[in-house]
Amino acid sequence: MHWPNFCGPNRFAFADRRAAVAANNGFTLGILAPGQTWSQCMAANANSYSIGGSIELGVNVASGTNTSYSSNALISGVTGNSINTFISGSTAEAAATMGANAPGLISTGMGSATTFGRRPSTIMSLNLAGTPGRSTFALSQASRGVKAVLGQIGDVLSLGMSFATRTAVDVGFTGAEAFNCAIHR
Amino acid sequence: MSLDNVGNQVKSGIKRTGAWLLGLAWLGLVFAGMAIAFNPSPHSPKLGWGLLGIAALVLVFTMDKWVKVLPGLLAYGVLGSILMLLSGHAVNHPDVLVSKLQAAVLMILFAIAAGLSVTFAKQKLTVPDRVALFVFIFCFFWQAVAPHLMILSLAIGFSCLACAWIYGLLRGRLTKNARA
């Protein structure tokens, strides 16, 4: 009986054959083409990993049509994946996103109690250790006016949970794309 | 954290996820309807029109729900427009070129629409509000089917939204004056 020599010079040939068998099953998680870099893969598959692109792909497969409504500028603006564009795009684009989210984040932190040893009346407990009295606040409560303005700007720019959820969907798509682009076809 | 809180959070999360999945299914319905009604396909165009009709009914009857997420979606459109402005092409479509002027106009329109729709999300919708929101969504998808009418459909859609907002503002002032 002949046993394959896994440690000899033929071990790579065996691995290649095993990879070929796996590929013949028709299922693979990898989408990275031979000779393609990870960034190129991310850019090439960006549309398939967006809300609009993935839904349209599914519709085209199911209905036997060949449309590209998701490439429309207006529709792609809302249903396209802006997050994976940051990954394979420029840092200037990333800065633009953070600019939109920053007022909400800063406003959340302002006036929050960040104390050690002292406790303000805003912390409710019957049995708290520490010296009673005024405590220090993040960026102080004197900045209430600024906080209100930032809150309004944040409301307009962040627009609550729907914007956050919409972003989270794209983050999920981008994670899946990044994972799949790390594996060869 | 109490078990009640955890339970409520789980319920809220499931509800939100379900709502978003239904929204995605609705988008699929619209894309399928547009694809079958306006493009060569193995199916009858009547099927496409039927799907679009169902999508329109769902849009009308669930307006009170989706109007709350509309500002966030339009704000995401502002982000997409900024990307278009910087990259010079549609989001995720390097083959579809978008001029700086087009991207800037889209960014302004999305920003104005997001600002206006915040008002709709906070108040009880009136009939003019509902008509304006329906026409806005209709025009949003119509310009994808007929790109040569993009400017016209954008003008109609955004004007309707602005008119409904101004009407609501004036009505609010008139009611206030009448009470005074």
Side-chain angles (χ1 to χ4, degrees):
Chain A
M1 182 182 263
H2 173 73
W3 293 91
N5 180 9
F6 296 112
C7 301
N10 285 334
R11 65 183 187 277
F12 296 113
F14 180 78
D16 287 346
R17 280 202 298 277
R18 197 175 51 181
V21 169
N24 287 339
N25 288 339
F27 176 77
T28 175
L29 284 173
I31 55 172
L32 184 65
Q36 197 177 34
T37 65
W38 184 80
S39 296
Q40 287 168 343
C41 176
M42 288 290 287
N45 295 288
N47 186 48
S48 303
Y49 287 84
S50 68
I51 285 180
S54 60
I55 288 176
E56 189 164 37
L57 184 65
V59 164
N60 281 336
V61 170
S63 65
T65 51
N66 183 23
T67 60
S68 184
Y69 292 124
S70 63
S71 66
N72 177 271
L74 206 63
I75 291 181
S76 77
V78 177
T79 65
N81 189 339
S82 301
I83 306 298
N84 64 11
T85 310
F86 296 142
I87 305 284
S88 52
S90 67
T91 49
E93 290 166 354
T97 319
M98 286 317 292
N101 288 331
L105 297 173
I106 297 168
S107 174
T108 305
M110 286 174 71
S112 304
T114 52
T115 65
F116 180 80
R118 288 182 178 273
R119 59 178 166 84
S121 56
T122 49
I123 297 176
M124 299 300 290
S125 176
L126 295 174
N127 235 346
L128 277 177
T131 314
R134 274 189 75 81
S135 51
T136 49
F137 289 87
L139 298 180
S140 90
Q141 286 191 327
S143 50
R144 269 182 185 157
V146 182
K147 181 180 162 78
V149 171
L150 279 174
Q152 284 175 354
I153 295 171
D155 282 348
V156 173
L157 291 177
S158 299
L159 296 161
M161 286 303 292
S162 55
F163 185 89
T165 311
R166 177 68 189 83
T167 311
V169 171
D170 277 356
V171 169
F173 269 120
T174 306
E177 188 187 3
F179 176 75
N180 292 347
C181 270
I183 305 169
H184 280 280
R185 279 178 193 168
Chain B
M1 191 181 287
S2 70
L3 279 175
D4 279 352
N5 277 346
V6 173
N8 286 338
Q9 283 186 15
V10 170
K11 273 184 195 172
S12 157
I14 289 171
K15 271 186 186 175
R16 188 175 296 152
T17 308
W20 276 86
L21 288 175
L22 286 175
L24 298 184
W26 179 84
L27 186 64
L29 202 64
V30 173
F31 276 163
M34 284 160 58
I36 294 170
F38 303 109
N39 292 281
S41 91
H43 309 285
S44 163
K46 286 178 186 172
L47 175 66
W49 284 108
L51 294 177
L52 288 175
I54 294 168
L57 284 176
V58 172
L59 190 73
V60 170
F61 286 110
T62 58
M63 198 171 275
D64 292 308
K65 304 284 181 193
W66 61 256
V67 75
K68 291 184 171 58
V69 296
L70 186 65
L73 294 179
L74 292 172
Y76 208 77
V78 176
L79 177 63
S81 308
I82 293 170
L83 281 179
M84 286 185 232
L85 191 70
L86 294 169
S87 64
H89 60 73
V91 179
N92 303 144
H93 288 276
D95 51 317
V96 180
L97 299 179
V98 178
S99 69
K100 301 273 180 200
L101 179 66
Q102 277 180 316
V105 169
L106 284 182
M107 189 175 70
I108 292 166
L109 288 179
F110 270 127
I112 292 170
L116 295 180
S117 60
V118 169
T119 317
F120 295 123
K122 284 180 179 173
Q123 69 189 26
K124 195 174 184 302
L125 292 176
T126 60
V127 174
D129 294 342
R130 290 175 190 276
V131 172
L133 285 165
F134 182 83
V135 172
F136 175 73
I137 299 295
F138 174 82
C139 289
F140 182 84
F141 288 103
W142 179 37
Q143 56 83 35
V145 175
H148 59 287
L149 298 173
M150 188 182 190
I151 304 289
L152 179 67
S153 55
L154 281 180
I156 294 173
F158 284 94
S159 302
C160 278
L161 214 58
C163 286
W165 184 79
I166 292 167
Y167 173 76
L169 196 73
L170 292 176
R171 198 190 52 193
R173 281 190 183 172
L174 283 175
T175 313
K176 207 175 177 181
N177 289 342
R179 279 179 188 167

